[in-house]
């Protein structure tokens, strides 16, 4: 869920713009929401606008969505979808769409991006001159009625998706086929024809004809399931589908005795993006709960059932306890009939909150024991999706500009939930620390030129695809946390419960939530309207920095706190409710403060206690970038391990990392600082995050020719620590963290050689450390990527074959593809490139990505240059002709790797000038790349000016 383009600041609580329909001067618009008025439609006289919002075929515009919403009576929509699901690459289906029309002044459009629209009927009339531009099917207005319910019937053919959007198909190594739908944000129309926008909520009823071996899962339980009987199926379907459709569907079915027929109950009133269907030879296990529990079932691929048995109790426990917590906190019961957790492969996201049929990335079906942080992230994911069954599924945003109402809230409340329930099956990590670390995603993206308001303008669905990012999730969650800190948890939960009851099964907008929170809000220092304008509707983040006199020992000492914008083009300053930590030799004191939205705030404190350091945003209550003053930096660097609180230490570590990222201290100094601190660090959560920061600082912030030296320092540190704890059973979690990072820092041949002997059970130093299957695959990839082993192809082939015998899962397929790309000669690389740009390539995007990551790999730096210009030659065409998910995969994996940042920057700037206006996603990707390149230039300059490695090299060169 990527990055959104820069938006203009929103200046009001309006939820839409007046949209001209070109209907004899009639204009329909959304009225502003406020306390005194409900949302309504008004009619005013304006000059007609002739633009057809459905004339292009790339996305649905917000204006088009408003137009279509104005044509339909809300609550009148229903779909009956009849699917013929076959093994192989394609399927077919019938759609019966029923609705009442408010007016028939314009044609209606139904969304479908698929293989073929076979036929269209409107109210029993066959439309012979069918118009479909590849995305929008025209329903002629002359066939519609306002006096009775309308029925639109569509017969269609479609291929199973290969990019995880729509109805995705996957064939496992054992030959079993698996399907799952992924419809958010704008992909239901790639599954079946529909009016695909969140405020046209509808009831859905599926039937499915599929192979006997398959199980079918949807939002509701199946009412019928058994051997396909033609007469029975026809009797059901013919009541709402044209005879021609029914006959065609049956004729497409061969060997009907090999199929079953499934009929599902009608769903609750849902937005289209929550419609779900899963089919295939899924293995399942039911939860043996107590009377009154919501039924739970876990599904996964047959090949994963052994591994699922190891985590099933954990999944069931977190699911049940989080459901009970939300019911009690909101005072609103779970509204759906079941809760299936369906683990699916080649998934683009972590999970999806389809009510009653939650799909989860089966990377969470762990094949090896993992560190506590990994299980905690999994628990957060489960509680996040559970929260959506209130925020999103029960009450839905009206349009994608309020996506944050779903994601920000779920991101925040999932952590809050885990702080307040006790998970017994697996020990979890410190939740506040995990939340603070997750904020790093938001901090990073909010400092880029591509930042945007939490709730900003979303002019079309392609913009919507790009706001599933650190702003919507991480920053939005931090803002919600701050608001609850201000209101208090009880009042916050009560207000949310009232909001759910008011808008049950309906759509809502930002102001609706604000109104309900305001009823419980009694803070006198600012209003929620001010808070909303500052935090939700304006882009950019703030930085705060202390200035104080450590020698001032008076009782009325002054602390000046300076606030500024992180980016000058987003100048908004904000109100921040924070705590200030004051550190002395015997502990920490804290004072509460509310920083005004001004450049300077003055706080009085008791200087007689002889404080040594100050930390702003102590206890992490607001979303802000914190700088350390010089005295505090010196104190913390020397006394970090005397601070007992894990969250506080984590915040200080973050501040040090920000200095590297900002190009203020070089990565070498940072690496040496951490390697001195981490042996004394007793928190595994912090160790985990600092290993990630170490990886980033070497990989992205260090010139290439110095990476081997810094990597070797970290590698030696990891080995030393592993030996120290290898015989301590209490250190198993830490051992996994250290062990699994060995391959990350193995940049030079000596380190790789040491890992190879570990793989071969010949390493005396690491003999007590298990080399797991995942470790072995990582080592094989390292050897295939290293030029030093090119002269020993037999060794590489031997290692690969050994792993393929050891691992017969789809993991092995992905690893083999990457190794082949890493090992490719010039001719093979040319063949791979043609495969990447071939629009007829039927390989899944996830498998292609493995080949791409091996093809464009820094460890094969000398072979990359010939394809830099080719990337820029084809990238616009890729985005014009391929799906966004494939195009982003192509861009992310094949973007040029080079030391010549100036030349790269020039090429990207030139590309930017030629990007067509409608390629929104490519523009965002390019803006993001330019931001990263310019930041990297600053980091490299800092390294060259400060690093001892550079100074020593210069001295040696001068002496020579």
């Amino acid at each position: 869920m990527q990055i959104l383009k820069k938006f203009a600041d929103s200046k009001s609580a309006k939820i839409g713009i007046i949209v001209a329909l070109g209907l004899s001067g009639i204009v329909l618009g959304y009225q502003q929401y406020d306390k005194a008025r409900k949302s309504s439609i008004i009619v005013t006289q304006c000059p007609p606008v002739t633009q057809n919002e459905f004339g292009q075929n790339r996305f649905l515009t917000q204006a088009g969505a408003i137009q279509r919403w104005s044509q339909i009576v809300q609550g009148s929509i229903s779909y009956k979808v009849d699917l013929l699901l076959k093994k192989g690459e394609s399927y077919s289906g019938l759609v019966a769409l029923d609705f009442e029309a408010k007016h028939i002044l314009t044609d209606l459009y139904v969304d479908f991006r698929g293989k073929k629209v076979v036929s269209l009927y409107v109210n029993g009339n066959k439309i012979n001159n069918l118009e479909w531009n590849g995305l929008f099917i025209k329903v002629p207005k002359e066939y519609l009625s306002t006096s009775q319910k309308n029925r639109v019937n569509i017969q269609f053919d479609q291929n199973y998706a290969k990019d995880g959007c729509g109805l995705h198909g996957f064939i496992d190594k054992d030959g079993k086929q698996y399907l799952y739908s992924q419809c958010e944000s704008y992909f239901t129309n790639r599954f079946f024809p529909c009016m695909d926008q969140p405020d046209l909520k509808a009831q859905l009823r599926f039937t499915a004809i599929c192979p006997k071996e398959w199980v079918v899962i949807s939002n509701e339980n199946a009412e019928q399931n058994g051997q396909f009987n033609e007469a029975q199926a026809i009797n059901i379907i013919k009541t709402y589908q044209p005879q021609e459709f029914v006959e065609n569907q049956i004729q497409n079915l061969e060997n009907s005795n090999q199929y079953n027929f499934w009929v599902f109950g009608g769903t609750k009133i849902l937005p289209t993006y929550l419609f779900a269907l899963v089919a295939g030879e899924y293995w399942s296990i039911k939860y043996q709960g107590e009377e009154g529990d919501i039924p739970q079932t876990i599904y996964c691929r047959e090949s994963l059932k052994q591994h699922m048995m190891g985590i099933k109790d954990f999944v069931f426990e977190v699911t049940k306890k989080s459901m009970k917590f939300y019911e009690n906190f909101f005072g609103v019961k779970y509204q759906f009939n079941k809760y299936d957790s369906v683990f699916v492969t080649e998934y683009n996201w972590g999970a999806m909150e389809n009510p009653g049929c939650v799909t989860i990335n089966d990377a969470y079906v762990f094949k090896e024991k993992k560190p506590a942080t990994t299980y905690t992230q999994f628990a957060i994911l489960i509680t996040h999706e559970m929260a959506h069954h209130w925020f999103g599924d029960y009450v839905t945003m009206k349009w994608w500009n309020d996506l944050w109402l779903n994601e920000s809230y779920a991101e925040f409340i999932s952590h809050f939930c885990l702080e307040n329930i006790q998970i017994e099956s697996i020990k979890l990590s410190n939740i506040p620390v995990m939340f603070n670390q997750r904020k790093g995603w938001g901090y990073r993206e909010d400092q880029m030129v591509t930042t945007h308001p939490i709730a900003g303008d979303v002019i079309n669905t392609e913009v919507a695809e790009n706001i599933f990012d650190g702003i919507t999730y991480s920053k939005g969650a931090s803002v919600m946390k701050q608001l609850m800190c201000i209101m208090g948890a009880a009042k916050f939960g009560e207000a949310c419960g009232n909001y759910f009851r008011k808008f049950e099964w309906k759509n809502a907008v930002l102001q609706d939530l604000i109104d309900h929170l305001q009823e419980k809000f009694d803070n006198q220092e600012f209003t929620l309207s001010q808070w909303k304008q500052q935090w939700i509707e304006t882009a950019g983040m703030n930085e705060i920095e202390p200035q104080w006199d450590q020698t001032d020992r008076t009782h009325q000492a002054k602390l000046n706190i300076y606030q500024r914008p992180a980016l000058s083009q987003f100048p908004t300053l904000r109100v921040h409710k924070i705590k200030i930590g004051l550190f002395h030799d015997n502990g920490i004191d804290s004072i509460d403060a509310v920083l005004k939205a001004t450049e300077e705030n003055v706080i009085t404190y008791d200087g007689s206690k002889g404080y040594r350091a100050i930390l702003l945003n102590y206890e992490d209550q607001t979303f802000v970038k914190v700088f350390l003053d010089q005295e505090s930096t010196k104190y913390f660097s020397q006394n970090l391990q005397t601070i007992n609180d894990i969250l506080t230490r984590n915040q200080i570590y973050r501040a040090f990392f920000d200095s590297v990222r900002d190009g203020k201290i070089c990565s070498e100094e940072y690496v040496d600082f951490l390697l001195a601190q981490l042996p004394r660090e007793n928190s595994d959560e912090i160790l985990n995050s600092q290993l990630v920061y170490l990886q980033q600082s070497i990989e992205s912030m260090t010139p290439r020719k110095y990476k081997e030296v810094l990597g070797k320092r970290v590698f030696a540190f990891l080995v030393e620590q592993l030996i120290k704890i290898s015989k301590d059973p209490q250190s198993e979690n830490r051992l996994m963290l250290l062990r699994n990072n060995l391959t990350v820092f193995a940049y030079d041949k000596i380190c790789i050689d040491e890992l190879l002997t570990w793989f071969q059970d010949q390493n005396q130093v690491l003999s007590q450390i298990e080399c797991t299957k995942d470790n072995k695959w990582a080592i094989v990839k390292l050897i295939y990527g290293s030029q030093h082993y090119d002269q020993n192809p037999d060794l590489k082939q031997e290692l690969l074959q050994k792993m393929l015998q050891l691992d017969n899962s789809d993991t092995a397929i992905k690893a083999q593809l990457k190794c082949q790309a890493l090992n490719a000669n010039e001719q093979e690389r040319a063949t791979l490139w043609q495969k990447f740009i071939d629009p007829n390539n039927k390989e899944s995007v996830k498998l292609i990505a493995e080949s791409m990551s091996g093809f464009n790999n820094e460890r094969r730096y000398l072979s990359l240059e010939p394809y830099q210009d080719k990337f820029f030659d084809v990238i616009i065409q890729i985005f014009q002709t391929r799906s966004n998910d494939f195009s982003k995969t192509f861009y992310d994996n094949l973007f040029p790797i080079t030391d010549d940042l100036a030349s790269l920057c020039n090429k990207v700037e030139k590309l930017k000038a030629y990007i067509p206006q409608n390629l929104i996603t490519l523009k965002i990707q390019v803006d993001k790349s330019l931001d990263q390149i310019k930041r990297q230039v600053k980091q490299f300059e800092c390294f060259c000016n400060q690093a001892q490695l550079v100074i020593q090299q210069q001295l040696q060169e001068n002496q020579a």
Side-chain angles (χ1 to χ4, degrees):
M1 304 175 180
Q2 322 295 327
I3 295 177
L4 179 63
K5 74 170 191 177
K6 182 173 65 178
F7 286 110
D9 287 347
S10 180
K11 295 183 179 178
S12 71
K14 292 181 180 179
I15 63 163
I17 56 174
I18 296 179
V19 179
L21 303 180
L23 311 175
S24 304
I26 297 177
V27 172
L28 296 171
Y30 289 126
Q31 191 72 310
Q32 183 174 350
Y33 274 64
D34 57 32
K35 285 186 178 180
R37 295 180 294 185
K38 297 180 180 179
S39 174
S40 62
I41 293 293
I42 59 171
V43 180
T44 58
Q45 295 297 319
C46 287
V49 175
T50 58
Q51 177 180 348
N52 179 9
E53 295 294 338
F54 301 92
Q56 50 77 41
N57 66 354
R58 188 166 182 88
F59 41 65
L60 172 66
T61 65
Q62 184 183 24
I66 293 172
Q67 173 182 321
R68 187 160 57 184
W69 181 87
S70 73
Q71 295 175 264
I72 306 295
V73 175
Q74 303 309 299
S76 71
I77 308 170
S78 65
Y79 294 91
K80 295 182 180 66
V81 180
D82 307 302
L83 300 171
L84 173 54
L85 305 174
K86 294 183 177 182
K87 295 180 179 179
E89 297 181 355
S90 62
Y91 66 101
S92 60
L94 315 175
V95 173
L97 163 59
D98 293 346
F99 62 92
E100 295 175 19
K102 288 181 181 177
H103 68 77
I104 52 175
L105 298 171
T106 59
D107 299 319
L108 186 68
Y109 291 87
V110 175
D111 315 7
F112 179 58
R113 188 181 298 283
K115 181 179 179 182
K116 184 179 181 181
V117 178
V118 179
S119 188
L120 170 67
Y121 278 74
V122 181
N123 288 327
N125 300 291
K126 184 172 183 177
I127 308 302
N128 293 315
N129 297 319
L130 190 153
E131 294 184 35
W132 173 52
N133 66 2
L135 178 57
F136 298 114
I137 304 168
K138 179 180 175 181
V139 180
K141 61 184 178 181
E142 53 267 29
Y143 294 97
L144 296 173
S145 171
T146 57
S147 61
Q148 62 183 21
K149 202 159 200 176
N150 295 278
R151 173 165 290 166
V152 175
N153 295 95
I154 302 170
Q155 182 180 356
F156 69 95
D157 294 332
Q158 179 64 304
N159 293 323
Y160 296 125
K162 292 296 183 181
D163 63 357
C165 303
L167 187 61
H168 185 87
F170 171 81
I171 299 177
D172 209 347
K173 282 195 72 174
D174 58 11
K176 293 180 170 61
Q177 186 165 6
Y178 299 91
L179 312 177
Y180 64 85
S181 64
Q182 170 57 35
C183 296
E184 191 177 31
S185 57
Y186 185 59
F187 305 128
T188 316
N189 66 83
R190 289 181 53 181
F191 179 12
F192 63 85
C194 61
M195 296 185 291
D196 200 0
Q197 62 189 74
D199 61 354
L200 291 181
K201 301 180 80 168
Q203 185 186 65
L204 169 70
R205 186 182 180 95
F206 275 124
T207 73
I209 301 170
C210 66
K212 276 186 171 181
E213 310 85 58
W214 290 12
V215 63
V216 186
I217 311 138
S218 188
N219 304 101
E220 294 293 337
N221 291 307
E223 295 178 344
Q224 299 180 37
N225 165 30
Q227 167 72 45
F228 174 78
N229 179 288
E230 182 173 326
Q232 177 196 29
I234 289 174
N235 283 338
I236 291 174
I237 298 173
K238 73 178 183 179
T239 60
Y240 50 84
Q241 300 286 10
Q243 183 68 27
E244 173 193 350
F245 285 15
V246 178
E247 292 174 357
N248 289 345
Q249 189 86 317
I250 298 301
Q251 288 173 4
N252 287 334
L253 184 61
E254 301 173 356
N255 301 318
S256 62
N257 62 331
Q258 299 300 310
Y259 287 80
N260 278 357
F261 183 55
W262 295 69
V263 180
F264 287 88
T267 66
K268 304 290 203 294
I269 304 299
L270 300 175
T272 51
Y273 76 85
L274 291 176
F275 293 162
L277 184 116
V278 178
E281 297 185 55
Y282 285 90
W283 174 85
S284 65
I285 184 168
K286 293 186 179 297
Y287 176 56
Q288 304 301 317
E290 302 170 353
E291 185 176 352
D293 284 348
I294 296 294
Q296 287 190 59
T297 307
I298 290 174
Y299 296 85
C300 70
R301 286 182 284 151
E302 181 77 22
S303 58
L304 294 178
K305 66 179 182 181
Q306 175 186 346
H307 307 294
M308 179 60 75
M309 293 301 292
I311 62 167
K312 65 177 179 62
D313 292 339
F314 177 70
V315 174
F316 285 140
E317 181 188 9
V318 177
T319 300
K320 177 178 178 178
K321 289 184 175 178
S322 61
M323 184 185 294
K324 292 297 183 185
F325 172 80
Y326 291 136
E327 287 182 329
N328 293 332
F329 186 67
F330 299 136
V332 176
K333 288 289 187 181
Y334 177 82
Q335 296 295 311
F336 302 92
N337 296 321
K338 63 186 179 80
Y339 198 100
D340 294 337
S341 297
V342 188
F343 290 79
V344 299
T345 194
E346 295 191 332
Y347 204 47
N348 291 330
W349 320 124
M352 180 64 205
E353 65 269 17
N354 310 305
C357 182
V358 175
T359 44
I360 303 172
N361 194 320
D362 68 12
Y364 287 99
V365 185
F366 306 121
K367 299 174 183 176
E368 298 176 356
K369 190 170 184 178
K370 297 294 181 181
T373 48
T374 302
Y375 291 107
T376 308
Q377 289 163 353
F378 186 20
I380 291 167
L381 179 139
I382 295 171
T383 56
H384 178 112
E385 303 310 321
M386 179 63 74
H388 276 309
H389 284 72
W390 284 262
F391 255 101
D393 297 6
Y394 190 36
V395 179
T396 308
M397 67 205 167
K398 185 168 184 59
W399 179 247
W400 297 106
N401 56 332
D402 279 327
L403 173 68
W404 80 280
L405 285 175
N406 289 9
E407 301 301 344
S408 300
Y409 194 94
E411 181 77 2
F412 152 67
I413 205 72
S414 60
H415 290 80
F416 179 68
C417 169
L418 285 173
E419 281 189 83
N420 287 276
I421 62 177
Q422 184 66 41
I423 301 302
E424 298 173 358
S425 51
I426 294 178
K427 182 180 179 181
L428 299 183
S429 299
N430 183 298
I431 300 301
V433 171
M434 297 292 287
F435 185 81
N436 178 263
Q437 292 173 358
R438 177 74 161 173
K439 286 172 71 173
W441 183 21
Y443 286 143
R444 183 177 67 252
E445 296 205 14
D446 213 14
Q447 294 177 77
M448 302 181 77
V449 295
T450 49
T451 189
H452 58 88
I454 294 172
D457 298 327
V458 179
I459 59 174
N460 58 52
T461 52
E462 185 159 349
V463 173
E465 285 184 44
N466 286 280
I467 59 173
F468 290 81
D469 64 0
I471 308 297
T472 298
Y473 283 74
S474 177
K475 180 181 180 180
S478 302
V479 168
M480 295 304 293
K481 177 183 176 181
Q482 184 190 51
L483 182 58
M484 192 179 76
C485 287
I486 295 170
M487 293 182 63
K491 289 183 178 180
F492 185 83
E494 187 179 348
C496 291
N498 293 338
Y499 168 81
F500 295 135
R501 285 183 282 272
K502 172 73 176 292
F503 293 99
E504 58 183 7
W505 309 118
K506 298 183 179 71
N507 295 93
V509 297
L510 167 60
Q511 192 60 41
D512 296 321
L513 177 62
I514 294 297
D515 288 346
H516 281 78
L517 293 173
Q518 186 67 60
E519 292 174 0
K520 302 294 180 181
F521 188 76
D522 57 7
N523 191 290
Q524 301 301 313
E525 296 172 337
F526 60 92
T527 67
L528 281 185
S529 293
Q530 293 172 321
W531 173 85
K532 171 172 69 78
Q533 194 277 330
Q534 287 182 3
W535 281 102
I536 305 299
E537 297 178 336
T538 55
M541 72 179 297
N542 302 136
E543 302 171 341
I544 54 175
E545 184 172 9
Q547 187 179 84
W548 60 302
D549 182 359
Q550 190 185 18
T551 64
D552 187 345
R553 295 292 192 262
T554 66
H555 292 286
Q556 296 293 314
K558 303 295 184 185
L559 166 64
N560 293 76
I561 300 175
Y562 293 97
Q563 181 180 183
R564 55 182 175 265
L567 296 173
S568 60
Q569 58 266 54
F570 301 104
T572 301
L573 300 180
R574 298 176 175 87
V575 173
H576 296 271
K577 182 182 184 296
I578 67 169
K579 286 189 174 184
I580 302 169
L582 301 110
F583 296 74
H584 51 82
D585 291 334
N586 297 317
I588 309 172
D589 297 331
S590 68
I591 54 178
D592 293 308
V594 175
L595 304 186
K596 297 178 181 178
T598 57
E599 293 182 356
E600 183 177 0
N601 284 261
V602 179
I603 306 295
T604 302
Y605 69 98
D606 184 358
S608 66
K609 295 187 177 181
Y611 294 117
R612 304 281 305 279
I614 285 177
L615 177 66
L616 303 180
N617 196 30
Y618 177 67
E619 293 188 358
D620 192 32
Q621 290 187 350
T622 190
F623 185 85
V624 69
K625 184 176 180 180
V626 173
F627 286 99
L628 303 176
D629 64 275
Q630 188 172 355
E631 289 297 327
S632 298
T633 299
K634 181 179 178 181
Y635 175 82
F636 289 140
S637 64
Q638 297 172 352
N639 298 276
L640 192 53
Q641 297 314 314
T642 66
I643 300 169
N644 294 324
D645 183 65
I646 300 174
L647 177 59
T648 302
R649 291 203 307 278
N650 194 72
Q651 289 180 271
I652 295 167
Y653 276 117
R654 173 77 207 188
F656 284 126
F657 176 71
D658 282 339
S659 295
V660 187
R661 191 171 181 275
D662 292 342
K664 294 180 178 179
I665 64 173
C666 72
S667 56
E668 182 189 27
E669 181 180 349
Y670 178 70
V671 168
D672 290 343
F673 164 74
L674 281 186
L675 296 187
Q677 292 289 341
L678 291 180
R680 295 173 288 166
E681 178 54 65
N682 59 19
S683 164
D684 288 351
E685 295 92 340
I686 289 180
L687 175 63
N688 180 64
S689 66
Q690 297 317 300
L691 289 172
V692 172
Y693 289 162
L694 276 171
Q695 179 185 356
Q696 292 176 8
S697 65
I698 297 175
E699 186 177 286
S700 303
M701 305 172 196
T702 304
R704 187 171 59 90
K705 65 180 180 179
Y706 299 106
K707 290 182 180 180
E708 285 192 4
V709 178
L710 295 187
K712 193 172 181 180
R713 290 181 192 176
V714 181
F715 186 90
F717 161 78
L718 295 174
V719 172
E720 178 186 351
Q721 295 300 308
L722 278 167
I723 295 170
K724 189 176 295 186
I725 66 171
S726 61
K727 296 182 180 179
D728 180 8
Q730 300 301 316
S731 298
E732 181 188 21
N733 190 70
R734 174 160 291 220
L735 185 145
M736 285 189 284
L737 288 172
L738 296 167
R739 178 196 66 198
N740 294 344
N741 275 279
L742 283 171
T743 54
V744 172
F745 297 97
Y747 282 92
D748 79 329
K749 183 179 184 300
I750 295 175
C751 297
I752 299 174
D753 284 345
E754 189 164 349
L755 291 174
L756 175 59
T757 59
W758 184 39
F759 180 105
Q760 297 170 325
D761 295 325
Q762 298 172 4
N763 189 309
Q764 296 300 316
V765 175
L766 295 174
S767 60
Q768 300 300 314
I769 311 298
E770 179 190 6
C771 188
T772 71
K773 192 183 297 183
D774 286 349
N775 299 144
K776 290 179 178 179
W777 270 125
I779 293 169
V780 171
K781 292 174 189 176
L782 277 179
I783 290 170
Y784 266 80
S786 173
Q787 301 174 59
H788 301 292
Y789 293 92
D790 287 349
Q791 303 306 314
N792 195 348
D794 292 341
L795 171 65
K796 291 194 289 188
Q797 186 63 21
E798 176 189 336
L799 294 174
L800 180 58
Q801 289 304 314
K802 183 175 181 179
M803 287 306 301
L804 292 175
Q805 292 172 7
L806 183 66
D807 186 356
N808 63 353
S809 72
D810 56 309
T811 301
I813 296 176
K814 295 174 185 176
Q816 186 175 14
L817 286 170
K818 183 166 185 175
C819 288
Q820 289 170 346
L822 283 164
N823 201 48
N825 59 34
E826 186 175 338
Q827 183 178 352
E828 290 166 338
R829 286 177 64 78
T831 301
L832 281 170
W833 179 260
Q834 289 302 314
K835 183 178 82 167
F836 298 154
I837 63 175
D838 180 6
N840 298 314
N841 184 354
K842 295 182 179 180
E843 200 172 24
S844 77
V845 173
K846 288 290 186 271
L847 292 182
I848 294 172
E850 292 295 329
S851 294
M852 288 177 174
S853 66
F855 180 92
N856 192 46
N857 193 290
E858 187 179 26
R859 294 178 186 270
R860 290 292 182 177
Y861 183 80
L862 296 178
S863 64
L864 303 182
E865 195 277 333
Y867 291 91
Q868 290 184 18
D869 289 339
K870 290 183 179 182
F871 172 87
F872 290 105
D873 289 342
V874 303
I875 191 62
I876 289 178
Q877 183 181 9
I878 292 292
F879 273 85
Q880 286 176 325
T881 59
R882 309 294 290 274
S883 74
N884 274 339
D885 278 272
F886 175 87
S887 299
K888 286 185 286 188
T889 298
F890 186 99
Y891 189 100
D892 291 341
N893 284 283
L894 297 177
F895 187 83
I897 298 171
T898 178
D899 287 340
D900 191 349
L901 296 181
S903 174
L904 180 60
C905 190
N906 288 335
K907 290 177 181 179
V908 178
E909 291 278 13
K910 184 177 179 181
L911 169 64
K912 181 178 178 178
Y914 286 97
I915 298 175
Q917 189 69 25
N918 67 337
L919 296 187
I920 295 166
T921 301
L922 177 56
K923 182 184 182 303
I924 293 169
Q925 295 285 103
V926 165
D927 284 342
K928 178 181 177 182
S929 294
L930 284 170
D931 191 289
Q932 291 173 330
I933 293 167
K934 292 172 183 177
R935 183 178 290 273
Q936 197 170 36
V937 168
K938 190 175 180 181
Q939 292 161 351
F940 283 15
E941 288 176 349
C942 176
F943 190 95
C944 293
N945 291 330
Q946 295 183 9
Q948 289 299 308
L949 282 171
V950 176
I951 295 171
Q952 291 167 7
Q953 182 184 33
Q954 291 172 344
L955 287 173
Q956 292 171 0
E957 290 172 354
N958 290 337
Q959 291 171 357

